Amino acid sequence: MKKIKFIVIAGSSGGHILPALKYLNSLSIVREPNEILFITNEIGKNYLDKIKNDKINILVINSKNKFNFILRILLNLSSLFVYNRKITLIGFGGFITTPVLLISKIFNFFLFSSNKIFIHEQNYIYGLANKINYFIVNNAFISFPKKNIRNKEILVGNFFLDQKELREKIDNSFINILLIGGSAGSLDLNYRMLKELANLDRKHIEKIKFFIQLPQSHYESLKNKYTDLIDSSKFTFFSFKNNLNLQKYDLILSRSGSGSINEILYYTNNVYFIPHLVSRDQHQKFNLSYFRSHNMSKSKFHIPTNKRIINQFYFNTLINPHAIDKIICYTTR
């Protein structure tokens, strides 16, 4: 830990954690992995199997108690910042990024360190943590184009996952419908799908298959609601799946968080997005508004009774396949 040169921080949701992991994996190819530290929380712990190099240092701190989290960050990182006066830090969002970046800035001031501080914002608008972080960073990498880019902002484009990963096999003889609700699943998306199924003409059921993400906390109760309506053989239920073959689905019902919206729209626009509006800043609404203004995603949700996938070329000019590589260039030069 005395030779750390890069610190990557991400927590709170898959939308923050997944781009951080792609950055980590790319960074470990061009820099020594044992000089990289990844800081995350109890949510990020569920994604650690996606880190491809086991020499990367990992620090997992529970953030449910914010005071204890900040105290443990101070205890764990103070000596690190004393021994290492030139660290590159990048926060990918979530509350846990702010204490780490702020401590780094304080050490810059009092110990004349030369730590470089960056953030990455996946959404159309800054989340609360990144609104605070913006004032202490060297640069902010943004995903969405703006008419008036601020002096610290660098447009890198929208992030998506690794195309080389093995994907699930889908039987194209059926009309395949997918429901995904983000890293934790979604109750209201499932209730929306159940309502649609209750009104579906039963003569169409035989040619349709449903792939449904259920929240772990309501897994059995929701599963029973579906199978009370339609035979269980028509469903594949899951709580988390990292090998979704998005371009093979005839319709996707999804949240409009940055991780979901960007990856889905890289592969297909056979999708209907429903934003999660409980969050303080309603960033999913703004994400969706941007893409709908560019004529992407379906305007109405209904279960198709005919195949939608046809042999045509689909290309989304709003997504940059080299977004993470661009960040690597800025943070390693």
Side-chain angles (χ1 to χ4, degrees):
M1 295 288 280
K2 291 183 180 180
K3 295 182 179 180
I4 294 298
K5 294 184 178 178
F6 294 89
I7 297 178
V8 182
I9 318 104
S12 301
S13 74
H16 301 310
I17 296 162
L18 290 172
L21 295 181
K22 178 151 188 175
Y23 174 84
L24 276 171
N25 289 330
S26 298
L27 181 64
S28 66
I29 296 172
V30 297
R31 291 292 187 269
E32 290 295 330
N34 59 3
E35 295 177 347
I36 303 169
L37 171 64
F38 177 48
I39 300 174
T40 189
N41 60 359
E42 65 283 355
I43 298 173
K45 188 177 180 180
N46 298 322
Y47 295 83
L48 295 181
D49 61 325
K50 290 182 174 292
I51 296 178
K52 296 178 180 178
N53 195 309
D54 59 9
K55 293 182 180 179
I56 293 174
N57 300 282
I58 299 170
L59 178 60
V60 180
I61 302 179
N62 193 300
S63 65
K64 291 180 179 178
N65 185 311
K66 291 181 170 54
F67 177 80
N68 287 344
F69 174 81
I70 294 171
L71 184 61
R72 288 194 62 191
I73 284 292
L74 276 168
L75 292 173
N76 280 277
L77 297 189
S78 293
S79 60
L80 187 151
F81 284 124
V82 170
Y83 284 112
N84 303 275
R85 301 293 184 88
K86 191 176 181 180
I87 303 175
T88 297
L89 300 95
I90 178 167
F92 280 85
F95 153 76
I96 70 168
T97 61
T98 302
V100 180
L101 300 182
L102 186 57
I103 292 168
S104 172
K105 191 72 172 181
I106 292 170
F107 272 86
N108 271 5
F109 183 77
F110 287 104
L111 293 182
F112 303 102
S113 300
S114 54
N115 299 322
K116 292 189 291 185
I117 305 172
F118 302 93
I119 56 172
H120 175 257
E121 179 53 63
Q122 304 90 352
N123 295 298
Y124 187 76
I125 60 171
Y126 283 84
L128 178 59
N130 274 346
K131 284 178 181 176
I132 299 169
N133 295 338
Y134 184 83
F135 293 101
I136 62 174
V137 301
N138 296 80
N139 291 107
F141 302 110
I142 60 173
S143 300
F144 288 85
K146 291 182 177 180
K147 289 183 179 179
N148 299 305
I149 291 184
R150 293 188 281 179
N151 62 336
K152 290 183 181 181
E153 292 178 332
I154 299 171
L155 175 63
V156 296
N158 290 286
F159 152 84
F160 70 97
L161 294 179
D162 190 351
Q163 289 178 292
K164 296 178 182 178
E165 289 187 359
L166 293 175
R167 300 293 180 181
E168 63 185 341
K169 292 184 178 180
I170 302 293
D171 187 346
N172 275 329
S173 63
F174 289 93
I175 298 168
N176 296 297
I177 298 169
L178 170 69
L179 182 155
I180 49 175
S183 54
S186 168
L187 277 175
D188 57 316
L189 259 63
N190 275 283
Y191 289 138
R192 180 68 179 270
M193 180 67 82
L194 285 164
K195 182 180 179 181
E196 194 74 17
L197 283 177
N199 296 321
L200 182 65
D201 190 329
R202 290 301 181 265
K203 69 181 180 182
H204 300 301
I205 292 297
E206 284 304 310
K207 54 184 179 181
I208 302 176
K209 282 200 171 182
F210 299 90
F211 298 77
I212 308 291
Q213 182 188 14
L214 302 177
Q216 194 64 49
S217 57
H218 293 73
Y219 196 95
E220 290 302 324
S221 61
L222 284 173
K223 181 179 176 180
N224 291 337
K225 288 181 185 294
Y226 279 108
T227 54
D228 284 344
L229 288 172
I230 299 174
D231 185 82
S232 60
S233 64
K234 306 306 294 182
F235 295 102
T236 297
F237 297 108
F238 62 95
S239 58
F240 179 77
K241 188 183 287 189
N242 62 4
N243 66 338
L244 291 170
N245 200 348
L246 298 167
Q247 63 191 23
K248 297 296 184 181
Y249 287 97
D250 296 275
L251 179 68
I252 299 171
L253 176 63
S254 172
R255 283 282 183 233
S256 53
S258 59
S260 300
I261 205 168
N262 293 327
E263 187 184 9
I264 291 170
L265 288 178
Y266 187 80
Y267 293 106
T268 179
N269 62 350
N270 287 328
V271 56
Y272 181 79
F273 290 110
I274 298 178
H276 184 59
L277 300 178
V278 176
S279 62
R280 183 186 296 108
D281 53 22
Q282 297 193 1
H283 60 269
Q284 292 197 9
K285 180 182 75 172
F286 289 99
N287 291 347
L288 180 56
S289 176
Y290 177 84
F291 280 106
R292 280 192 175 159
S293 69
H294 289 78
N295 298 317
M296 293 182 176
S297 87
K298 302 298 179 185
S299 58
K300 292 183 180 180
F301 174 62
H302 66 273
I303 294 173
T305 55
N306 295 298
K307 289 289 290 182
R308 280 182 170 173
I309 297 175
I310 55 176
N311 294 322
Q312 68 177 22
F313 181 69
Y314 168 75
F315 182 67
N316 182 349
T317 58
L318 299 174
I319 291 180
N320 176 16
H322 304 292
I324 297 297
D325 296 327
K326 191 172 180 179
I327 297 174
I328 292 285
C329 290
Y330 274 99
T331 56
T332 57
R333 63 183 184 181

